[in-house]
Amino acid sequence: MSESSSVARVAATLRELVKDRPAGARLPSSRSLVRELGVGPVTVQRAIDQLVADGTVITRPGAGTFVARARVGGPADTGWQRVALGASPVQASGALEALSAPPVDCLDLSRGYLDVGLQPTSRLAAAAARAARRPQAWTVPPPSGLPELRTWFAQQVGAEAEDVLITPGGQGALSTVLRSLVPAGSPVLVAEPGYPGVISLLRSAGLVPVAVPTDAGGLRPDLLERAFATTGSRVLYVQPTFANPDGHVLAADRRGPV
């Protein structure tokens, strides 16, 4: 049985459990579901993510998974007390996963750093020393980044320099973009397998990653269309060329017009 079908089976089982329970009732723990259904913990988590995305259940970090209250029409309550004191969708586990070191016997392919033996350390040290001697090296840079660097990147992608933002790193850039596009609690589609860093980031930002399977040609358009329709997601995170972690490349006939 494929992993995607296992996720669908577990999700269907959970939906049946929800039907027999009132709003606020606690579902069995993930450990219990793993044991009872004979699947792995990742499969259980992805099934729960699907139910969170469509509003069937809610999760409370450290407490468990609970049947969600039925949604009613009308505008959401955005009063400051409701927002400030209500349950947080943020899962601290996302930040902890991003900060944790891999096991000693594990070859970590997600961070993209060369082995020390392959790094040109002497040349990097010389370049860093030259950069540190420049008078501008110790001044505070503009919040949006150095104008020269913004201009260079803008030329590479055919954009205007004022539309380019320089961030301290890739995770910072992803966090800024995702938090700007969608509010906490929203589903975000990600290719499966996907970049572990963005999955951890989504969880720590209170967003719900929803897996979309891939094959030899990359992301499957038929399943992507279904995922957008069933979850109502507004965002898809995908790396079309040499994706992390498996290096797959999205087929040309799946890219569509640019």
Side-chain angles (χ1 to χ4, degrees):
M1 180 180 293
S2 67
E3 184 175 358
S4 58
S5 62
S6 296
V7 172
R9 177 172 63 86
V10 174
T13 301
L14 293 178
R15 291 185 196 280
E16 289 299 319
L17 289 175
V18 168
K19 289 181 181 179
D20 301 328
R21 287 171 166 76
R26 188 177 186 276
L27 296 185
S29 67
S30 296
R31 183 175 299 177
S32 298
L33 293 172
V34 167
R35 183 174 58 255
E36 294 174 7
L37 301 178
V39 295
V42 174
T43 298
V44 170
Q45 183 59 56
R46 287 174 177 167
I48 292 174
D49 288 343
Q50 289 186 8
L51 271 66
V52 171
D54 61 23
T56 302
V57 302
I58 58 173
T59 59
R60 297 171 186 164
T65 304
F66 300 84
V67 178
R69 297 185 180 278
R71 293 184 177 180
V72 296
D77 182 359
T78 56
W80 74 266
Q81 288 185 329
R82 177 76 174 182
V83 174
L85 304 178
S88 173
V90 174
Q91 296 187 35
S93 61
L96 296 177
E97 290 173 5
L99 295 173
S100 61
V104 177
D105 57 349
C106 176
L107 180 60
D108 186 9
L109 299 178
S110 66
R111 288 172 170 80
Y113 278 86
L114 289 173
D115 182 82
V116 176
L118 299 176
Q119 295 178 15
T121 52
S122 59
R123 294 187 179 183
L124 290 173
R130 289 196 302 271
R133 289 195 294 269
R134 298 182 61 185
Q136 303 90 341
W138 305 106
T139 57
V140 179
S144 299
L146 296 175
E148 299 85 354
L149 195 56
R150 296 174 68 193
T151 299
W152 185 88
F153 277 112
Q155 293 172 347
Q156 302 304 305
V157 299
E160 298 294 331
E162 55 266 25
D163 294 328
V164 175
L165 174 67
I166 306 299
T167 69
Q171 290 295 97
L174 288 171
S175 177
T176 299
V177 170
L178 291 169
R179 291 172 187 270
S180 299
L181 290 176
V182 287
S186 301
V188 175
L189 306 185
V190 294
E192 178 189 17
Y195 172 45
V198 80
I199 296 174
S200 297
L201 187 153
L202 291 171
R203 295 191 186 283
S204 62
L207 300 169
V208 182
V210 179
V212 180
T214 59
D215 57 19
L219 201 67
R220 291 181 53 182
D222 56 329
L223 298 181
L224 176 61
E225 183 178 2
R226 186 188 309 170
F228 272 119
T230 57
T231 66
S233 176
R234 298 170 49 199
V235 176
L236 163 69
Y237 176 82
V238 60
Q239 294 173 298
T241 305
F242 304 122
N244 186 327
D246 65 342
H248 71 260
V249 176
L250 187 63
D253 60 348
R254 299 184 183 183
R255 292 176 180 250
V258 178

